[in-house]
Amino acid sequence: MTDRAGSGRATASRAAPQGAVVLLSGGLDSSTMLAMARAAGHACTCLSFDYGQRHRIELEAAARVARALGAEEHRIVRLDPTAIGPSALTGGGIALGAGWSTAVPKARSLAAIGQGIPSTYVPARNTIFLAFALGLAEVLAARRIYIGVTAVDYSGYPDCRPEYIAAFQRLAALATKAGVEGSPVTIETPLIHLTKAEIIRAGHALGLAYALTHSCYDPTPGGDHCGACDACLLRRKGFAEANVADPTRYGA
Amino acid sequence: MTDRAGSGRATASRAAPQGAVVLLSGGLDSSTMLAMARAAGHACTCLSFDYGQRHRIELEAAARVARALGAEEHRIVRLDPTAIGPSALTGGGIALGAGWSTAVPKARSLAAIGQGIPSTYVPARNTIFLAFALGLAEVLAARRIYIGVTAVDYSGYPDCRPEYIAAFQRLAALATKAGVEGSPVTIETPLIHLTKAEIIRAGHALGLAYALTHSCYDPTPGGDHCGACDACLLRRKGFAEANVADPTRYGA
């Protein structure tokens, strides 16, 4: 599914823009990252995944953000939902029992977030996302893949750590025709050492309208943020610490 | 899509069989590898991909082989064909031009095969396949992923080389909950140092009926092997060198 973003195409005529594939969930982090990549002058192809996530509304947010920030294109790849999960984010997927929960944790203490791997962990998710991004980057001859992982204020996912990214970087150089021919893609992680507050301040300075973005794992039927899942707690805390007005509607 | 393989379930009652995810294309190599994994006593979940390949008939071969060899289960994951390619194997996929061909090369000299990266290269294909296998292995608590890459008689794909596999192994240890908890999956490549003839002799010794398998990139409408694509040339040569009767029907 492809949506050629209509606005902000002025940069398309700029001399030799450098192509980048941007993994865009529509959340606060990846949207800020897209703003950074655009500010750096890159022609961005945004890549989102429909993997049966509960919070599929984030895909609408991703489309809004891609359009607002003048991405070249926004692609949504549908992943076979029977091949993903189980996880609290998908509520199902591969059927299996012990050790896996499909309940979204609510109202945890901030101290508890980042301790251990939460039930919203989706097995191999970033590896699957990066693999598709790698194939797309190769075909588009894009030299950069942006992924919005952060090692600070993070949620305990193993595939968000710097050492994981470094390992994927090595893999990408060996995996592809471009790598063999001496021009491997680089994995860009501009958020990796930023706190949520720093991310928000950076995006705010770039003029990103955070009301376009969506973070909540378990939104209300009306699409508001629940205010109680880990993603909402970290979002709320981030705006408070950044001293930036939080435009988010937190429904009960 | 799941097909619980019906036959050969006698091993299922064996004490604590070790789980393995086996990437099974239905071709000669991966089918032999499955026979090896079964001979080693592993309970095998086979994983195939429907990615819009021209030779989708190989998925039927994979199902036949999984059943004949007593796999626990055979899963076929559908990949969004717009997210894969372009390649001579898919005839399309991501639309883009320069440097990519969608014609299957025919009747190349055997010396030419393995020189450079052929048009049947699918960008990041093994990375995508291994990423899904990694997620499945983690959910099933399987400790092994089998992939039938070979560095001998190989077709020039960068993502079949030993150094690529080693890089994925490192990635897998960092990517997953299982890895963080100290029991990462291992990537098993029993074919990596075998010639095609050695693979065929090994499978033959294990009683594998090669007539069940399918290698051709561009089969005839009736499902016969074309006899002229790289995969057919390597298959034919392998049987001849192994001195094993070739049961393959090479049409036209």
Side-chain angles (χ1 to χ4, degrees), chain B residues 10-252:
Chain B
T11 55
S13 59
R14 183 184 297 188
Q18 294 194 286
V21 172
V22 178
L23 288 168
L24 181 69
S25 70
L28 189 157
D29 293 343
S30 64
S31 299
T32 304
M33 178 179 69
L34 174 61
M36 292 171 167
R38 293 290 296 127
H42 300 307
C44 296
T45 297
C46 299
L47 189 57
S48 305
F49 296 88
D50 181 351
Y51 57 102
Q53 61 270 57
R54 280 177 198 274
H55 54 314
R56 201 169 306 179
I57 196 172
E58 71 177 8
L59 295 173
E60 297 167 25
R64 285 193 300 267
V65 170
R67 204 173 301 116
L69 293 179
E72 294 297 299
E73 194 177 352
H74 178 222
R75 288 170 180 262
I76 298 177
V77 171
R78 282 197 196 79
L79 297 183
D80 185 340
T82 67
I84 303 284
S87 159
L89 286 197
T90 59
I94 298 169
L96 209 98
W100 298 96
S101 163
T102 57
V104 174
K106 290 294 177 82
R108 302 207 292 166
S109 73
L110 286 166
I113 299 175
Q115 301 298 312
I117 298 172
S119 63
T120 49
Y121 168 67
V122 179
R125 183 175 57 174
N126 280 352
T127 308
I128 293 170
F129 289 0
L130 282 168
F132 278 101
L134 183 62
L136 180 59
E138 179 148 39
V139 173
L140 297 177
R143 288 286 162 263
R144 290 174 173 80
I145 293 171
Y146 278 82
I147 181 167
V149 294
T150 165
V152 187
D153 281 1
Y154 94 126
S155 293
Y157 301 133
D159 51 1
C160 288
R161 297 174 299 160
E163 54 268 44
Y164 166 79
I165 296 297
F168 196 91
Q169 174 78 67
R170 280 195 299 271
L171 184 80
L174 291 165
T176 57
K177 192 170 173 174
V180 168
E181 291 169 355
S183 50
V185 299
T186 59
I187 312 297
E188 304 285 340
T189 57
L191 311 184
I192 203 155
H193 297 304
L194 301 185
T195 65
K196 196 68 90 187
E198 287 168 338
I199 292 167
I200 291 169
R201 277 197 293 266
H204 188 66
L206 291 169
L208 176 58
Y210 280 109
L212 298 176
T213 70
H214 177 93
S215 297
C216 177
Y217 290 152
D218 192 21
T220 70
D224 288 350
H225 284 58
C226 78
C229 69
D230 291 3
C232 279
L233 295 177
L234 292 172
R235 182 178 173 109
R236 221 169 195 166
K237 173 171 171 270
F239 277 104
E241 289 181 3
N243 211 9
V244 168
D246 185 352
T248 314
R249 288 191 313 210
Y250 297 102

Side-chain angles (χ1 to χ4, degrees), chain A residues 77-78 80 83 85-86 94 96 117 121 123-124 128 131 135 138-139 158-159 161 163-164 168 170-171 174-177 180, chain B residues 77-78 80 83 85-86 94 96 117 121 123-124 128 131 135 138-139 158 161 163-164 168 170-171 174-177 180:
Chain A
V77 171
R78 282 196 194 81
D80 184 340
I94 299 169
L96 210 96
I117 298 172
Y121 168 68
I128 292 170
E138 178 149 38
V139 172
D159 50 3
R161 297 175 298 160
E163 55 268 43
Y164 166 80
F168 196 92
R170 280 195 300 271
L171 185 79
L174 291 165
T176 56
K177 193 169 172 174
V180 168
Chain B
V77 171
R78 282 197 196 79
D80 185 340
I94 298 169
L96 209 98
I117 298 172
Y121 168 67
I128 293 170
E138 179 148 39
V139 173
R161 297 174 299 160
E163 54 268 44
Y164 166 79
F168 196 91
R170 280 195 299 271
L171 184 80
L174 291 165
T176 57
K177 192 170 173 174
V180 168

Side-chain angles (χ1 to χ4, degrees), chain A residues 27-124:
Chain A
L28 189 156
D29 294 343
S30 64
S31 299
T32 305
M33 178 179 68
L34 175 61
M36 292 171 167
R38 293 288 299 127
H42 300 307
C44 297
T45 298
C46 299
L47 189 57
S48 304
F49 296 89
D50 180 351
Y51 58 101
Q53 61 269 57
R54 279 177 199 273
H55 55 315
R56 201 169 306 181
I57 196 171
E58 72 176 9
L59 295 173
E60 296 167 26
R64 284 194 300 266
V65 170
R67 203 173 304 116
L69 293 180
E72 295 295 300
E73 196 178 350
H74 178 221
R75 287 170 182 261
I76 299 177
V77 171
R78 282 196 194 81
L79 298 183
D80 184 340
T82 67
I84 304 284
S87 160
L89 286 198
T90 59
I94 299 169
L96 210 96
W100 299 95
S101 162
T102 57
V104 175
K106 291 295 177 83
R108 302 207 291 166
S109 74
L110 287 166
I113 299 175
Q115 300 299 312
I117 298 172
S119 63
T120 50
Y121 168 68
V122 178

